[in-house]
């Protein structure tokens, strides 16, 4: 386990909230629907799925995004393992993960495997059926050392107003450097400084309708070769 861990409280007994960042881990309305809208649809998935497709993520959290993507990957007919790399500074415990993911019974076949692997090691080397890893530590340092090249990014840190370190220009420039040509990124936030940082990093940035009460979100695409 990382030398730093998440500090949680529970809203309505089911929604984990980070006390460090005063922000919930997923939508209080419908976390799974938000994940699908923001990160799957926002990256034009599952239409772009293909063998060898690699997703990277800032902020692993409860693992909800991984589970929703894993289910979509299998439902789309892919037979090779999905490559998924996530960067997380403050991992939650396996028991906290189980409590949070109980809110999404449709994902339980995947959640059971994730929780078991997470209990062994939160870097997920033991998760069957996926080429997954969680890289623990400060993403501002770990992305540069990761060596990955992602086809799609899920930018899912806590609110930029409360967790600005995960939305800085230097970090988003690292995201761009670790994105394949034609690759994409999506995030629930439409904060102007985030969109400008993505644009300055080389992405073509678009503001589109957000989920639920969030009027807007952001998608970004790297130029194709």
């Amino acid at each position: 386990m990382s030398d730093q861990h998440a500090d949680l409280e529970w809203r309505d007994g089911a929604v984990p909230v980070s006390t460090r960042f005063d922000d919930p881990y997923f939508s209080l309305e419908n976390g799974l629907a938000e994940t699908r809208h923001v990160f799957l649809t926002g990256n034009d998935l599952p239409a772009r799925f293909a063998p060898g497709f690699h997703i990277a993520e800032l902020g692993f959290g409860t693992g909800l995004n991984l589970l929703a993507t894993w289910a979509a990957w299998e439902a789309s007919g892919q037979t090779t393992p999905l490559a998924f790399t996530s960067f997380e500074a403050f991992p939650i415990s396996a028991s906290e993960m189980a409590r949070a993911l109980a809110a999404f019974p449709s994902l339980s076949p995947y959640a059971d495997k994730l929780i078991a692997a997470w209990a062994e090691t939160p870097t997920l080397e033991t998760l069957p059926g996926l080429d997954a890893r969680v890289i623990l530590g400060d993403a501002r340092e770990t992305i540069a050392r990761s060596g990955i090249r992602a086809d799609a990014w899920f930018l899912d840190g806590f609110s930029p107003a409360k967790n600005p370190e995960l939305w800085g220009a230097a970090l988003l420039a690292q995201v761009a450097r670790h994105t394949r040509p034609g690759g994409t990124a999506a995030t629930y936030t439409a904060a102007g400084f985030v969109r400008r940082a993505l644009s300055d990093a080389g992405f073509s940035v678009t503001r589109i309708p957000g989920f639920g009460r969030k009027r807007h979100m952001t998608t970004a695409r790297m130029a194709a070769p």
Side-chain angles (χ1 to χ4, degrees), residues 169 172-177 179-185 194-205 220-224:
L172 294 180
Q174 285 286 352
V175 166
R177 281 193 282 275
T179 303
R180 289 175 179 160
T184 61
V194 173
R195 290 187 285 115
R196 288 190 294 273
L198 287 167
S199 179
D200 290 346
F203 286 101
S204 176
V205 178
R221 183 175 294 273
M222 192 63 67

Side-chain angles (χ1 to χ4, degrees), residues 12-94:
D12 299 327
V15 177
V17 177
S18 167
T19 57
R20 189 187 305 271
F21 299 108
D22 187 29
D23 213 23
Y25 276 78
F26 45 75
S27 168
L28 302 179
E29 297 175 66
N30 188 325
L32 180 54
E34 180 174 45
T35 285
R36 288 169 172 160
H37 176 86
V38 173
F39 298 114
L40 295 182
T41 303
N43 281 292
D44 193 25
L45 305 176
R48 294 171 57 216
F49 283 158
F53 197 85
H54 191 161
I55 291 171
E57 174 184 56
L58 294 184
F60 186 73
T62 65
L64 176 59
N65 296 340
L66 170 61
L67 298 185
T69 307
W70 190 1
W73 178 262
E74 292 197 348
S76 73
Q78 298 296 323
T79 57
T80 59
L82 168 68
F84 193 101
T85 302
S86 189
F87 298 86
E88 174 61 57
F90 304 105
I92 67 176
S93 69

Side-chain angles (χ1 to χ4, degrees), residues 113 116-121 123-130 132:
K113 296 175 184 178
W118 191 258
E120 288 190 42
T121 170
T123 53
L124 293 186
E125 288 96 339
T126 60
L127 183 59
L130 288 181

Side-chain angles (χ1 to χ4, degrees), residues 140-165:
R140 292 172 295 181
E141 302 170 359
T142 55
I143 290 178
R145 301 195 299 262
S146 68
I148 67 165
R149 294 275 277 171
D151 297 285
W153 279 88
F154 297 172
L155 306 181
D156 196 25
F158 291 112
S159 163
K162 298 174 180 178
N163 183 205
E165 294 82 5

